[in-house]
Amino acid sequence: MATIRDVAKTAGVSVATVSRIINNKGEASPETIARVQQVIQKLHYRPNSIAKSLSKRRSNLIALLIPTLKNPFFPELVREIEASANQKGYHIFLCNTDDDRNKVKYYLDSILSHYACAAIINSLYVESKDLEMLESHGILTLTIDRAQFNHPYSAISVDHKTGASKAVSHLLDQGCRKIIHLSGPKDQMSSIDRLSGYQEALNAFNPDLPQKVIYANFDLFSGYQSIQSLIQSSFLFDGIFCSNDALALGAMRACLEAGFKIPDQVKIVGYDNILFSRYVTPSLSTISQHMKEMGTLAITEIISLMQQPNAKPRKIRIQPNLVIRESSTQLRRNHHE
């Protein structure tokens, strides 16, 4: 594997000259530039990005801390953030924390040792002192949605209360009057906000309507098991609003196995608009968090902060929208909606 010294020796110039030509810095004659570029092509030389990072104590790596890869929402979000980063010439250093504080600490150390230029954080187990530590080392930070605390740095959040209200209002418009809320863990802010939206929509429509909340984990099995147990208890319901699509897909499976017709007897709305939601049968009505927009906004904001040192951090609020499909209405719609 050719080194910069090999290029310099073959081209008959100094290592410093080759470095300046590669980085488009300094002056060299057109003949020298052409000769060095020919040698680079001949030797198939590629600059060592690791060595460059070590010498500059900075890289083009943007760390991305996520809570889990089990929830389909997060791999899709990673893909959108990575695509946006790659378009801008940056690479993503993926840190799957599994919502484990010890893994968070491990990755925080790794971010420092890899000389990441920025960190995008979506984790309940990152604390305000962690952001302060990264920022003190010159690593710009941005949180996405799951931060459980206020901080002075850039943040992107989703108006989950409004999203939940839209989902429940839609079920009410479709004639549901016994709507269950299948919530995520009760101590998570996104669960709290979605529960608030559920309650607000029901109370605004008719405060006498029954309200039932079932807490579960954000996964398929929890959705399936929770609704299966509810059905076995003979509890009556005609609508389910789920805190994410994984829960909704599990709930849908439990209802279908019990002989319920969807949407004739039970109508279901999820939350996230993951790819799977479009292709299950019936296709799943859901709330879109605009993942593509979120990924683009995250990278744009981070790069803006890097390029403008005096730029002030921004708090960006995304408004979710309702995507109506077959699980909540008699209208048959395009699966690709």
Side-chain angles (χ1 to χ4, degrees):
M1 185 175 179
T3 67
I4 193 170
R5 295 183 182 279
D6 297 327
V7 173
K9 182 178 179 181
T10 305
V13 297
S14 68
V15 170
T17 297
V18 174
S19 178
R20 286 196 300 269
I21 292 172
I22 290 172
N23 292 293
N24 296 312
K25 295 180 179 179
E27 294 183 358
S29 68
E31 294 79 9
T32 300
I33 293 174
R35 186 167 71 254
V36 169
Q37 289 176 339
Q38 287 176 353
V39 171
I40 288 173
Q41 292 180 356
K42 180 180 177 181
L43 298 181
H44 302 290
Y45 170 70
R46 294 290 181 273
N48 189 325
S49 59
I50 296 176
K52 188 175 180 181
S53 299
L54 290 172
S55 65
K56 292 188 173 183
R57 291 185 172 273
R58 188 61 74 236
S59 70
N60 66 342
L61 283 179
I62 297 176
L64 174 57
L65 274 74
I66 61 168
T68 180
L69 288 170
K70 294 179 181 178
N71 182 340
F73 173 79
F74 293 107
E76 292 186 27
L77 179 60
V78 168
R79 185 184 63 203
E80 297 297 348
I81 291 175
E82 182 182 45
S84 185
N86 292 165
Q87 287 177 356
K88 302 291 186 179
Y90 291 85
H91 301 293
I92 291 298
F93 172 31
L94 181 61
C95 308
N96 174 29
T97 67
D98 284 323
D99 269 342
D100 182 318
R101 179 60 189 173
N102 289 328
K103 289 192 72 174
V104 166
K105 291 179 180 178
Y106 167 80
Y107 279 123
L108 290 172
D109 289 339
S110 296
I111 290 169
L112 295 178
S113 62
H114 282 77
Y115 300 115
C117 58
I120 297 171
I121 296 166
N122 188 313
S123 173
L124 296 172
Y125 292 88
V126 170
E127 302 170 2
S128 58
K129 65 180 181 181
D130 301 325
L131 300 186
E132 293 168 6
M133 181 273 293
L134 292 173
E135 292 276 349
S136 71
H137 284 82
I139 298 172
L140 298 169
T141 62
L142 177 145
T143 60
I144 295 184
D145 204 37
R146 290 183 117 220
Q148 301 280 81
F149 52 87
N150 293 322
H151 60 78
Y153 312 112
S154 288
I156 297 174
S157 61
V158 179
D159 187 351
H160 293 303
K161 182 177 179 180
T162 295
S165 182
K166 288 180 178 180
V168 176
S169 294
H170 168 65
L171 289 172
L172 290 166
D173 289 343
Q174 296 302 306
C176 296
R177 296 296 181 266
K178 297 176 182 177
I179 303 171
I180 297 165
H181 177 35
L182 189 51
S183 172
K186 65 171 62 179
D187 59 342
Q188 294 192 16
M189 189 58 66
S190 61
S191 297
I192 294 169
D193 288 343
R194 293 169 200 182
L195 171 59
S196 180
Y198 162 81
Q199 294 170 331
E200 183 178 86
L202 287 180
N203 289 333
F205 184 85
N206 183 348
D208 294 327
L209 286 180
Q211 298 184 17
K212 184 170 181 62
V213 181
I214 301 173
Y215 291 101
N217 295 319
F218 281 124
D219 61 60
L220 285 159
F221 181 69
S222 287
Y224 173 80
Q225 190 176 49
S226 297
I227 298 305
Q228 185 184 57
S229 297
L230 192 70
I231 292 170
Q232 291 172 351
S233 72
S234 301
F235 186 89
L236 299 178
F237 59 93
D238 56 9
I240 309 174
F241 164 53
C242 302
S243 273
N244 77 348
D245 285 348
L247 283 170
L249 295 176
M252 184 183 295
R253 177 70 182 182
C255 288
L256 292 172
E257 282 187 1
F260 288 97
K261 294 181 179 179
I262 303 172
D264 297 359
Q265 295 173 295
V266 177
K267 295 174 172 59
I268 302 176
V269 178
Y271 202 108
D272 284 343
N273 195 28
I274 62 172
L275 184 63
F276 292 159
S277 66
R278 308 172 197 178
Y279 299 103
V280 293
T281 301
S283 55
L284 179 65
S285 294
T286 184
I287 297 295
S288 170
Q289 298 192 55
H290 307 289
M291 266 188 281
K292 187 174 183 64
E293 178 186 354
M294 192 183 296
T296 301
L297 279 171
I299 295 300
T300 300
E301 177 67 8
I302 279 291
I303 292 176
S304 175
L305 291 171
M306 286 191 286
Q307 293 177 344
Q308 303 174 53
N310 295 323
K312 293 183 178 180
R314 293 194 301 158
K315 306 296 184 183
I316 302 168
R317 189 80 158 163
I318 293 177
Q319 291 298 321
N321 71 282
L322 174 68
V323 180
I324 300 173
R325 298 196 182 104
E326 298 166 355
S327 68
S328 64
T329 178
Q330 293 290 348
L331 297 176
R332 296 192 63 82
R333 294 180 176 258
N334 190 328
H335 280 239
H336 296 275
E337 184 181 6

